[in-house]
Amino acid sequence: MADVTLRKVVKRYDEVEAVRGIDLDIADHEFVVLVGPSGCGKSTTLRMIAGLEDISDGDIMIGGDVVNDVPPKDRDIAMVFQNYALYPHMTVAENMSFGLRLKRYPKAEIKSRIDEAARMLDIVELVDRKPKQLSGGQRQRVAMGRAIVRNPKVFLFDEPLSNLDAKLRVQMRIEIKKVHQKVRTTTVYVTHDQVEAMTLADRVVVMNHGRIEQIGTPNELYHKPATKFVASFIGSPAMNFIPCRLEDIAGKLHVRLTDRLAFPLPLARAVRYQNIPRTEKLLLGLRPEHVTEAKPHPQPGVETFDTVLDVTEPMGMETLIYFTMEGSQVCGRVNPNADAHDGAPLRLAVDLNNMHLLNEVTGVVL
Amino acid sequence: MATVTIDKAAPTRKVKYGSMSRDRTWALRWSYFFLVIFAIFSLTPPIYMLITSLKSSAEISAATNPWWVFHPTLENYVGLLTSNQFLRFFWNSAIVSIFVVTITMLISVPAAFALARMRFWGSAVLATGVFLTYLIPETLLFIPLFKMFAVIGDWTGIQLINKWYVLLILYPTLTVPFCTWIMIGYFASIPKELDEAAIIDGASWIQTLTRIFIPVAFPGIIAATIFAFTVSWAQFLYPLVFTTSTDQLVMPVGIITTLIKGDVFNWGQIMTGALLGAAPPLIIYAFLMDYYIAGLTAGATKG
Ligand SMILES: Nc1ncnc2c1ncn2[C@@H]1O[C@H](COP(=O)(O)OP(=O)(O)O)[C@@H](O)[C@H]1O
Ligand SMILES: [Mg+2]
């Protein structure tokens, strides 16, 4: 069993609290991604799991054993670093076998493991090269190979793809996913890139200021964000937030955006938001895909309104539109055939079945 | 999209590159000019020594052109190389230097590793302290050191003064601080992730040092070795002060004390001795420079 558990883990650097009490249960074989903006404590958390940093408070368990005071080499983990950290004076094969050689594995065993990993990563013809003779993507593969041959309980990745160019990053992302499908090793993966997090993870852990904002599957985070931070961090273009209030008009609950614009809420939403005080300052959260061009026969819960576009960005399969509502910029996604032009008027539809309502002050999704 | 912008910028850069290359040509011309002057300036003394070493005493004292050898002779070389005394000096120098280089590297490489990587209480202060030690000149130290060894001799009966091996204690006080400092610099330039990767791979501190740091910082090891050897080979003050019997002398002091008798200078042999003495460092430089390849760390990280 190689499950990883963090209990109220804290890391203090003199003055700064880099990690402020993290609780996390990672199941055997699970691929968990820690995501969050730079400086939120992702690397620190990962390095504490690796044993490269002492933990100031709390417990870390790997496979059920508390490893707080266990040195890294006895934790049976492997780590892949952002800058690869290959040993420059060793060949690819020597790099991959270094850990096994230190542990005095039999030569035949080492060779078969290297062969297997090299084949899995498609670097068979590179095994006799030195790191400086490799491209960035190849170095990344070797760094992964070095982790795979050890056959550890847990893989730890710290932003392994951020030194690669965009195209290679997508390719390596798929590669990492394939490797995980084959070896099924419990993986903790750190990135600041939400796309990487969404595409790779079984579960995503969104971190902010040393705390966990939300844990969930990619779809849960996308469709049911718990806080404004998560809602705005996950998804691109980001979710729109429009200041609003609730109001009862003719016995029906409405969300009022401007003096002239108020939308009636669909029944399910009306029930859910019924008890919110009408004076509360709120934010209406709408993903760009729920702000589209108006269709002739709108679905229930889809409301239309007229606006003038500021800017349009044709993306090919869709056109991104930007307009201003109550001082906030709103982004929508319309069909490329819809008549959307810079500065032109357009009739838009918002899908309130997929709306979010947030407390403007606390940022909590209601 | 980013690539498109770069492509657009390329033609402008090409034009600039043309003018830069003209600048470069001039910079190169000036470099060569000054390098040639420098070469003439620094090569004149050894050439003069070589010329003088090939002359007989009579020719040296004769009023002929000092820059030309009219009757070349190897008598100075033969005289020195068959003199047991000179060979003894040479041997002493070699033994002292080899020991000192070994002792220095055995101390300063682990010390530098500890100071660069194992964050322990006071390591930063200690690292600075090591360098400050190097700044104290030996001219300030030789009298107190002499007194110290004299006192040790009185108390314990262990006579260190006038024994060649006293230099094995003295020279490292000069070489260890500087070599440690050089190695701290080299070790500090190795990315932190490299030792972290090694630690996760299961390497102990010693294994991280021997299997990763020493190979990766090999150019630094060479630089430190050359420095330690040069200092030990050329050191003059300490052997002059601490050794007096001819069988204990190293070459620089040996040449001076035996080839200058009162006010009689045996110029031919002095020059020959100095030239022969300069040979080992030259050979060692030539040999080690091949290994002294900068940028050995390339490829460790994203590069
Ligand atoms: N060795 C250190 N000493 C002091 N502060 C540190 C140290 N390492 C990290 N920090 C601080 O801890 C916080 C979290 O850092 P880190 O975990 O590296 O963030 P990231 O999420 O970008 O990986 C940052 O504010 C950083 O400045
Ligand atoms: Mg980080």
Side-chain angles (χ1 to χ4, degrees):
Chain A
M1 280 296 281
D3 47 333
V4 178
T5 307
L6 279 67
R7 286 273 166 270
K8 300 200 167 28
V9 172
V10 174
K11 178 71 192 183
R12 270 177 234 108
Y13 290 112
D14 303 327
E15 300 296 291
V16 223
E17 245 187 10
V19 174
R20 310 169 179 215
I22 280 193
D23 283 294
L24 183 59
D25 287 288
I26 300 167
D28 199 12
H29 304 316
E30 200 177 12
F31 198 118
V32 164
V33 175
L34 307 183
V35 70
S38 176
C40 72
K42 310 178 294 285
S43 296
T44 308
T45 307
L46 195 75
R47 292 167 56 81
M48 286 192 288
I49 298 174
L52 294 172
E53 302 281 352
D54 295 331
I55 59 178
S56 311
D57 227 323
D59 289 308
I60 293 181
M61 282 161 266
I62 298 177
D65 305 319
V66 175
V67 294
N68 294 6
D69 300 316
V70 177
K73 63 173 171 142
D74 298 329
R75 293 192 184 194
D76 202 4
I77 43 123
M79 188 154 169
V80 176
F81 296 87
Q82 174 174 359
N83 59 14
Y84 323 135
L86 300 178
Y87 311 125
H89 57 297
M90 297 185 194
T91 65
V92 167
E94 286 165 348
N95 260 283
M96 299 205 321
S97 62
F98 185 63
L100 300 178
R101 282 185 282 136
L102 288 177
K103 293 202 179 76
R104 306 203 178 286
Y105 272 63
K107 277 222 169 67
E109 166 88 19
I110 294 178
K111 181 156 176 16
S112 79
R113 284 202 192 187
I114 290 178
D115 286 348
E116 193 189 354
R119 230 174 304 121
M120 194 189 300
L121 293 162
D122 200 17
I123 50 174
V124 175
E125 66 283 7
L126 304 178
V127 290
D128 293 323
R129 295 215 196 149
K130 292 274 178 68
K132 63 166 170 278
Q133 298 166 296
L134 303 178
S135 70
Q138 290 170 332
R139 285 179 203 176
Q140 191 57 66
R141 280 166 206 266
V142 175
M144 273 166 61
R146 190 168 61 179
I148 291 171
V149 294
R150 300 250 321 276
N151 192 16
K153 279 192 194 149
V154 185
F155 282 150
L156 304 174
F157 290 85
D158 193 353
E159 311 229 6
L161 305 185
S162 36
N163 280 346
L164 302 177
D165 61 54
K167 206 168 152 193
L168 205 51
R169 208 176 304 161
V170 175
Q171 201 181 322
M172 285 304 296
R173 205 166 72 199
I174 297 166
E175 208 72 29
I176 290 176
K177 203 160 185 168
K178 277 191 200 156
V179 166
H180 183 251
Q181 279 164 1
K182 271 182 219 146
V183 300
R184 308 287 310 146
T185 307
T186 312
T187 302
V188 187
Y189 185 106
V190 161
T191 178
H192 64 265
D193 179 353
Q194 54 99 13
V195 178
E196 229 169 274
M198 298 286 280
T199 48
L200 282 171
D202 294 326
R203 277 194 306 155
V204 179
V205 178
V206 183
M207 291 184 61
N208 191 22
H209 293 308
R211 287 209 179 79
I212 293 181
E213 288 269 335
Q214 191 176 357
I215 306 177
T217 64
N219 279 330
E220 277 167 7
L221 292 185
Y222 191 82
H223 297 292
K224 297 191 181 101
T227 61
K228 185 183 178 194
F229 177 83
V230 176
S232 59
F233 193 79
I234 304 286
S236 172
M239 188 187 280
N240 300 297
F241 299 102
I242 310 157
C244 67
R245 270 182 304 112
L246 289 178
E247 197 175 305
D248 295 291
I249 303 174
K252 280 197 77 182
L253 191 58
H254 281 61
V255 56
R256 175 163 291 287
L257 299 173
T258 69
D259 291 343
R260 288 176 294 111
L261 196 59
F263 298 131
L265 291 181
L267 189 61
R269 295 286 165 172
V271 172
R272 179 163 159 189
Y273 300 137
Q274 190 56 49
N275 294 328
I276 298 170
R278 304 298 183 255
T279 49
E280 192 107 72
K281 284 191 165 178
L282 302 169
L283 290 173
L284 172 65
L286 278 174
R287 295 232 175 251
E289 60 266 37
H290 301 132
V291 180
T292 57
E293 75 278 11
K295 309 251 169 49
H297 306 292
Q299 304 287 312
V302 176
E303 301 295 332
T304 57
F305 66 102
D306 289 296
T307 192
V308 176
L309 304 180
D310 296 333
V311 177
T312 60
E313 291 181 340
M315 306 295 288
M317 64 174 280
E318 65 185 5
T319 297
L320 297 180
I321 55 163
Y322 296 90
F323 59 95
T324 318
M325 189 179 262
E326 279 297 277
S328 29
Q329 175 176 278
V330 180
C331 173
R333 302 163 84 154
V334 303
N335 192 296
N337 299 321
D339 212 9
H341 301 288
D342 295 358
L346 191 67
R347 189 163 182 79
L348 294 177
V350 293
D351 181 358
L352 295 178
N353 299 306
N354 288 301
M355 67 176 273
H356 301 275
L357 212 51
L358 297 85
N359 185 311
E360 189 176 8
V361 184
T362 61
V364 173
V365 177
L366 303 166
Chain B
M1 269 191 282
T3 34
V4 175
T5 2
I6 288 168
D7 282 352
K8 270 184 190 160
T12 7
R13 221 196 280 158
K14 234 176 217 162
V15 175
K16 260 193 189 158
Y17 186 78
S19 66
M20 259 190 48
S21 123
R22 229 169 293 134
D23 281 353
R24 227 176 96 82
T25 316
W26 275 105
L28 275 179
R29 273 179 207 167
W30 280 107
S31 312
Y32 278 119
F33 177 70
F34 284 111
L35 280 173
V36 165
I37 289 184
F38 179 76
I40 292 172
F41 190 72
S42 52
L43 283 179
T44 307
I47 288 171
Y48 190 59
M49 285 162 72
L50 179 68
I51 291 168
T52 313
S53 74
L54 294 171
K55 294 180 180 179
S56 61
S57 296
E59 187 175 342
I60 292 170
S61 44
T64 55
N65 179 1
W67 293 96
W68 193 251
V69 191
F70 295 95
H71 308 286
T73 165
L74 285 177
E75 69 180 36
N76 292 323
Y77 289 85
V78 174
L80 276 186
L81 291 175
T82 53
S83 124
N84 283 333
Q85 218 176 31
F86 181 78
L87 293 177
R88 177 89 215 172
F89 300 155
F90 202 92
W91 176 249
N92 283 349
S93 269
I95 290 289
V96 167
S97 298
I98 289 167
F99 268 111
V100 168
V101 167
T102 313
I103 293 169
T104 303
M105 297 316 282
L106 284 179
I107 296 174
S108 59
V109 169
F113 180 66
L115 290 172
R117 276 307 202 262
M118 303 167 147
R119 279 166 297 166
F120 54 88
W121 190 85
S123 55
V125 179
L126 204 57
T128 319
V130 162
F131 187 62
L132 290 182
T133 325
Y134 175 69
L135 295 182
I136 303 171
E138 64 254 48
T139 40
L140 215 64
L141 290 177
F142 75 95
I143 295 173
L145 278 171
F146 194 90
K147 188 78 195 157
M148 232 171 73
F149 286 124
V151 170
I152 288 172
D154 288 349
W155 284 4
T156 64
I158 302 170
Q159 275 309 327
L160 290 168
I161 288 166
N162 196 20
K163 297 277 188 271
W164 64 268
Y165 43 80
V166 71
L167 302 178
L168 302 188
I169 305 172
L170 289 168
Y171 288 5
T173 64
L174 303 168
T175 53
V176 166
F178 193 73
C179 290
T180 306
W181 191 255
I182 294 179
M183 290 317 299
I184 288 176
Y186 272 90
F187 286 162
S189 72
I190 295 177
K192 192 92 193 69
E193 285 84 358
L194 219 58
D195 30 321
E196 291 180 344
I199 286 171
I200 287 179
D201 265 343
S204 62
W205 281 113
I206 299 289
Q207 284 168 324
T208 307
L209 173 62
T210 54
R211 313 271 300 253
I212 310 288
F213 272 63
I214 290 179
V216 171
F218 201 63
I221 306 257
I222 300 285
T225 306
I226 288 177
F227 174 83
F229 181 81
T230 311
V231 166
S232 336
W233 191 262
Q235 176 55 225
F236 184 72
L237 181 63
Y238 281 165
L240 181 69
V241 173
F242 287 85
T243 52
T244 42
S245 319
T246 31
D247 62 336
Q248 303 293 325
L249 294 183
V250 291
M251 200 156 45
V253 178
I255 291 172
I256 298 302
T257 44
T258 57
L259 297 182
I260 302 175
K261 299 203 169 68
D263 56 355
V264 181
F265 288 69
N266 188 347
W267 281 120
Q269 286 201 344
I270 291 175
M271 293 300 165
T272 310
L275 273 182
L276 290 175
L282 275 180
I283 291 166
I284 285 178
Y285 289 171
F287 178 71
L288 290 184
M289 278 301 164
D290 281 351
Y291 294 88
Y292 186 85
I293 307 150
L296 215 65
T297 52
T301 59
K302 62 170 173 158

